[in-house]
Every structure is written in structure tokens, then in C-alpha cells.
Amino acid sequence: MKDEKSYNLAAREAERKEITRLLDKVNVSALLSQASSLRDGIPCCITQSLQYDRSMRSSVMDGMNYHIEIRLEDGINWLLRIQRLNATSLPEDLRAYIMRSEVATLQFLSKTKVPVSKAIDYNLDGQNPIGIEYILMEKMAGQSLRWSFLPPKAETQSPESANRHICRITGGSIRPNGLLRPTRNATYRAVRARIVDGLQGLSSVSHGAIPVLQRRFYLRHADNKGDHILVDSEYNITGIVDLEWAHTDVKSAAFNSPVMLLPIADFYNGKNQLGEDELVYVKLLEDKGHRDLAEIVKKGRILHRIEFCLGYDLADWEGFLGIFQGPRKALEVDGDLEWDA
């Protein structure tokens, strides 16, 4: 492309064509018939036009999936989750594997206290009556958390209600002793701290150990930038979403601080100190008696560095140099040397 403007125009047109082709595959009558049959014949409808609308893109799709909302007459809302198809899409067999894995993860977590969508139905055969591979799931309440854009002030619920909430989502596995207690009209810092407290409560379950042949493995969310968490208007955690890449991992990786807590500017400049949000996370873990998990967070920066280096797009060479500088400093291997000779 000659310039950024031309590239953006071409990208928008490519996206429009992609989503139009995708939605043209959906047999709406078959979809509504299937949804109704799964709800004992209750009538239903879709809540959106199946036409590409760029102004609605953030509410109906992400990098890999498109969502069609179904409203049943008894007040229940479901989502049809279908995978996008473009030049960056994975091969067909791998897409099916990932969808099957997401369904299995939802089914497993539905037996815990972690708030996730219930998988209602799925079909990985593109020749099914609906016309496309899909997962049909409950729509969860709340909006995606934008961690870096939290408002300077926000109302929060009372300490007693907050305690009950943490007990409910953790299933009692982490007691709510020592919970930060912001008042109404809480400050920006207190709101962030309270969300981190809820996050570590969820982590204790969603990353919880599962005994298999006397060994333990941990379930890790692989895209923990913050928008995988749904919150209500008072920043109560209402759900965890986007579990397609969730996978088992070792304890030191599963309980490392989420990407959303990293001090991004310092991190990309090669600095390895924990950020303010990570320090809050550490203190909450320690206060609740989980010093082993707090130590994982304290010593987790090298693992962050390795994961970022392995997955980084080398087209952004300047950005990679900052990322790569971090492990060199952390491991004390030529950390003060410049890249250019």
C-alpha cells in the first residue's frame, strides 16, 4: 500500500466482504427453529440485522469470532458464536479442535463457581442446517472490562455485598478476609484494587488444581488482557469469556500476574520491576495466606518476557528490541549493551 490511509480503506473493505460472506451462510430460520426447540418450543428472534455495520463491530465481534444474539420470549438471551474466516484464520481441522476445546472448558467450569456461559449446543459440521459451525451459549450480563480506561471515580457496592460476591465466585476456596473496602464514590485506585481482588478470587478457581492420577494441572486463560472479564456498572465481576485458547499449564505460569496488570510502558521499555497493580495483587494474595502464589507473581517477569519474545511479531523490530532487552537485563546477560555494534 502507498500509505496508511490506503491500507486502512483496503482493510475495512476486506472486513466488510469477509463478514458479509460469513453472515450469508447463516440460515436464520433454521437457527431460530433450533434455538426454540432447545427451549421447549418458546419462540425467539435475533436482535440484530445480519448485515455488516462497522459502527457495531466492537459489540458483535472480536479478532476471531462473530456473535449473533438470540432473544427468547421468556426473557433469556443466547449468543450464536461463529468463527471468522479470513487470511489469518487457522486451518479447518484446527478451528474445529479449538471450538471443541472451548465447549469442553465451558462444560468443566460450569461445575465450579466461576461465572461462565453455559454451552447450550454446538455443531462442528459446516453442512448442518444452520449452515456454519457454531457454539450456542448463554449471553452473560455485563460489559467487557477496559482496564486501562477505568474512570477516575466509580461507585462500588457496600463492603458486605462485596464480601458476599467474592464468597460466591470463589466458592469459599479463598475466604474474603482482608478484602479492600472502598466506600461509595471510591477513588480510581480503590476501584482498580477491588477488581484485582475479585480477579484473584476467580483465579483461585479457574486456575484451580484438578487431581488426575495424583498429579495436578491448572487451567489458564490465554488471553488475559482484561476484556475477557465482564463487569457491571459498579465493577462487580459478572463473567469470564473468550475461553477458546484456555489450556492446562504449570502452576508458575497459571498463577503469574495477568497481562492486564503489567505496567505496559515500562514493560516495553525493558524494565522488569512489578507495576502498581501487580503489587496490589501480591499484597492481596499474601493477606489471604497465599504466599506461594504471591512469590510466583514476584518472580514471574522472566516468564512474561519469554512468552512475549516467542509470540512477538518481528515486523515491529523496534518494539521487539525493547521486549528482548527485558530478559537480557533480568538474566544479567549483556543487559547494558546496545543492539547495534
Side-chain angles (χ1 to χ4, degrees):
M1 292 291 171
K2 294 181 179 180
D3 53 41
E4 181 179 354
K5 182 178 180 180
S6 298
Y7 173 84
N8 289 336
L9 290 173
R12 290 185 182 186
E13 178 61 15
E15 182 179 274
R16 185 192 67 79
K17 291 180 178 179
E18 173 209 344
I19 300 303
T20 298
R21 286 194 299 267
L22 185 70
L23 297 180
D24 283 346
K25 293 184 176 184
V26 179
N27 184 326
V28 176
S29 296
L31 169 60
L32 296 180
S33 176
Q34 176 71 351
S36 179
S37 68
L38 292 168
R39 194 69 178 169
D40 298 326
I42 293 176
C44 59
C45 64
I46 59 175
T47 65
Q48 68 218 62
S49 170
L50 293 193
Q51 294 183 342
Y52 177 72
D53 182 350
R54 182 172 174 78
S55 67
M56 297 290 292
R57 64 193 306 274
S58 63
S59 63
V60 297
M61 70 188 215
D62 54 32
M64 287 188 63
N65 301 282
Y66 191 96
H67 300 101
I68 299 173
E69 184 174 351
I70 301 168
R71 180 174 298 153
L72 293 114
E73 287 190 0
D74 61 354
I76 299 297
N77 285 22
W78 289 347
L79 289 178
L80 187 80
R81 183 170 167 91
I82 55 179
Q83 290 194 340
R84 295 177 56 184
L85 298 172
N86 54 44
T88 65
S89 296
L90 299 169
E92 182 178 356
D93 57 343
L94 186 52
R95 294 200 307 271
Y97 179 88
I98 291 170
M99 292 180 74
R100 188 177 295 111
S101 175
E102 181 171 14
V103 171
T105 302
L106 291 172
Q107 290 173 338
F108 166 72
L109 289 176
S110 69
K111 301 173 184 178
T112 73
K113 297 297 182 179
V114 179
V116 296
S117 294
K118 178 182 178 181
I120 307 297
D121 184 33
Y122 72 100
N123 195 313
L124 306 182
D125 181 3
Q127 302 305 311
N128 69 71
I130 294 176
I132 195 168
E133 304 91 337
Y134 67 85
I135 302 175
L136 186 62
M137 60 177 63
E138 289 179 335
K139 181 182 180 181
M140 303 197 73
Q143 300 293 324
S144 294
L145 174 63
R146 296 294 188 263
W147 183 253
S148 59
F149 295 104
L150 282 179
K153 291 187 178 182
E155 287 191 344
T156 63
Q157 61 186 38
S158 68
E160 293 78 15
S161 179
N163 280 348
R164 290 195 299 271
H165 176 68
I166 296 301
C167 284
R168 176 172 57 81
I169 62 178
T170 61
S173 61
I174 290 184
R175 297 178 63 82
N177 299 332
L179 178 67
L180 294 179
R181 296 173 177 268
T183 60
R184 290 195 177 272
N185 296 321
T187 63
Y188 165 77
R189 180 175 297 181
V191 172
R192 293 174 75 92
R194 210 180 126 253
I195 293 176
V196 172
D197 185 65
L199 175 66
Q200 63 88 31
L202 287 170
S203 298
S204 69
V205 181
S206 62
H207 295 168
I210 307 163
V212 178
L213 299 178
Q214 296 183 341
R215 296 183 179 182
R216 290 180 180 273
F217 62 93
Y218 300 85
L219 184 60
R220 181 185 183 188
H221 198 297
D223 192 18
N224 51 17
K225 301 186 301 297
D227 55 1
H228 66 301
I229 298 173
L230 299 182
V231 295
D232 64 18
S233 60
E234 295 185 341
Y235 298 98
N236 302 300
I237 296 174
T238 62
I240 305 295
V241 297
D242 294 338
L243 289 156
E244 59 206 329
W245 292 106
H247 60 275
T248 56
D249 214 328
V250 297
K251 186 176 182 178
S252 59
F255 286 96
N256 202 5
S257 58
V259 171
M260 60 180 279
L261 301 185
L262 298 182
I264 295 300
D266 288 345
F267 185 81
Y268 274 81
N269 286 327
K271 298 179 181 179
N272 291 310
Q273 294 81 3
L274 295 184
E276 179 182 349
D277 293 331
E278 290 177 291
L279 293 174
V280 172
Y281 192 30
V282 167
K283 186 176 187 306
L284 288 166
L285 290 171
E286 290 176 339
D287 289 348
K288 293 178 183 295
H290 296 283
R291 294 188 177 278
D292 57 332
L293 304 184
E295 285 301 311
I296 288 175
V297 176
K298 290 179 182 178
K299 299 176 180 178
R301 189 60 88 237
I302 291 178
L303 180 57
H304 280 135
R305 292 296 183 186
I306 293 173
E307 291 177 338
F308 268 73
C309 285
L310 291 176
Y312 204 84
D313 184 358
L314 295 182
D316 179 18
W317 184 246
E318 292 301 319
F320 176 76
L321 293 183
I323 292 292
F324 189 61
Q325 183 74 357
R328 291 168 62 202
K329 287 183 177 180
L331 297 171
E332 299 181 351
V333 178
D334 300 331
D336 295 326
L337 295 179
E338 296 295 331
W339 185 267
D340 295 329

